[in-house]
Amino acid sequence: MEASVNVLGGQLNICSRDPITGFFRNGRCDTCSEDNGRHTVCALMTAEFLAFSKYLGNDLSTPRPEYGFSGLKPKDQWCLCAARFLQAHQEGVAPRVLLKSTHQRTLDIVPIDILQRYAADIE
């Protein structure tokens, strides 16, 4: 696992423990070389984004009890793939993000100025 550092250069905060999120299912958007999807953006789910994700084939809202997944709903926080966040931004449906809970490796894919436009935890 890479160092738990956020996009602001500080310690990576918890994104969500209910529902439990993250590549490592530790509540943080931590990453490593095996995390091909780069699940590093801590996002605040919206109905619009969830519908967009489902349309693209990644249904995050339907419960999957066989995997211990209750399905996401608006206002849940979740570690999104950085590329999917950028795609949602380009399509005008990007959710708000928690910068203090978004891993610094996100910056390899999403510029900081784009993330700042959607910041929910920094004014």
Side-chain angles (χ1 to χ4, degrees), residues 7-79:
V7 294
L8 303 173
Q11 181 178 351
L12 186 68
N13 288 353
I14 294 289
C15 180
S16 176
R17 289 206 171 129
D18 184 22
I20 192 72
T21 191
F23 181 76
F24 295 100
R25 290 299 188 257
N26 64 357
R28 288 188 171 83
C29 298
D30 283 310
T31 194
C32 65
S33 60
E34 288 82 27
D35 180 11
N36 296 324
R38 186 101 21 111
H39 297 81
T40 55
V41 178
C42 182
L44 189 61
M45 296 294 97
T46 63
E48 187 177 39
F49 175 79
L50 290 169
F52 173 73
S53 186
K54 186 175 184 177
Y55 172 77
L56 293 177
N58 187 16
D59 183 359
L60 298 172
S61 55
T62 299
R64 298 292 305 266
E66 66 271 27
Y67 298 113
F69 181 67
S70 60
L72 299 177
K73 58 190 178 309
K75 298 185 183 177
D76 282 344
Q77 293 175 192
W78 192 250
C79 294

